Amino acid sequence: MEAVNLFPLFLSLKVATIATVCALVVGLPISYYLSRSNDKISDILDSLFTLPIVLPPTVLGYYLLVLLGRSSPIGRWLEEAFGILIVFTPTGAVVAAFVVALPFFVKTARAAFASIDEQLLNAARVLGRSEWDIFFTVVIPLSWRSIASATTLVFARALGDFGTTLMVAGSIPNETMTMPIAIYDALLAGDKKMANILVLIMTVVSIALLYTMKRLEKRMIRGENDAVRRH
């Protein structure tokens, strides 16, 4: 029996994890700003962050190639100043997964932030709380369930990305080949047996991870409810 190379699985998990952390760090302030602003700038930003959901993966991948390729100003600056290469590297896979998954976090978190009663925030301001303090002690605690759901959604989307990752990172074996790309390559090579094994592994791992995240979320909710009852 042909040995199964698990490198694509580990790379996919690594890429999805890093992309999720980046989406959490970048997406929280953006989501909060969009939820509290009604000007033209916020409308433009909202449209830009929605584009990755609407655009075909190949188009999005092309834009990233143009923007971050070695011949682009940004790509050339990153290489000369920091020695960082984006295209056809694992870093490129992270960037692709991040760009594809970020809109799902922003949309979900923005809706949660927008549902918070403005009077609660004003009351905190009257008590002398800074905006930074309000965000972490009022906004986040009131929205954490939606943020947890958004984080799970981002991880799942980043884990399963194919088109954009293929365009930006390529399919270099043992370097940039993620699990979805490995499945595609196995089908192209006519190796249906290997493709079936990879699909099964990907399905089992995805179900196990999503189940674990859901159980942790429910445990946190039970802990929160128990704390409320004790008070």
Side-chain angles (χ1 to χ4, degrees), residues 20 38 89 98 133 200:
T20 300
N38 294 310
T89 66
F98 166 75
D133 193 23
L200 179 61

Side-chain angles (χ1 to χ4, degrees), residues 47-71:
S47 299
L48 289 175
F49 284 113
T50 305
L51 269 180
I53 300 177
V54 179
L55 289 176
T58 50
V59 175
L60 185 60
Y62 177 79
Y63 279 133
L64 290 176
L65 284 175
V66 172
L67 184 65
L68 302 175
R70 298 183 69 176
S71 60

Side-chain angles (χ1 to χ4, degrees), residues 32-171:
Y32 186 64
Y33 168 75
L34 293 177
S35 70
R36 297 296 159 186
S37 301
N38 294 310
D39 53 17
K40 291 183 179 180
I41 295 178
S42 64
D43 291 338
I44 294 173
L45 288 176
D46 185 44
S47 299
L48 289 175
F49 284 113
T50 305
L51 269 180
I53 300 177
V54 179
L55 289 176
T58 50
V59 175
L60 185 60
Y62 177 79
Y63 279 133
L64 290 176
L65 284 175
V66 172
L67 184 65
L68 302 175
R70 298 183 69 176
S71 60
S72 69
I74 296 177
R76 189 161 50 247
W77 175 73
L78 287 173
E79 183 177 0
E80 292 175 356
F82 305 102
I84 297 175
L85 296 176
I86 303 295
V87 177
F88 302 129
T89 66
T91 304
V94 173
V95 171
F98 166 75
V99 171
V100 166
L102 179 62
F104 294 92
F105 184 91
V106 172
K107 289 292 182 183
T108 305
R110 178 187 180 181
F113 293 154
S115 65
I116 298 176
D117 190 346
E118 187 69 28
Q119 292 183 356
L120 293 174
L121 304 181
N122 290 333
R125 294 186 183 102
V126 170
L127 293 174
R129 298 284 187 89
S130 65
E131 292 297 324
W132 187 263
D133 193 23
I134 291 172
F135 180 74
F136 283 103
T137 61
V138 179
V139 175
I140 295 298
L142 290 175
S143 309
W144 77 264
R145 295 183 187 182
S146 295
I147 292 173
S149 298
T151 303
T152 302
L153 183 62
V154 166
F155 183 85
R157 182 64 186 86
L159 184 66
D161 183 61
F162 169 74
T164 307
T165 300
L166 181 62
M167 288 283 291
V168 178
S171 58

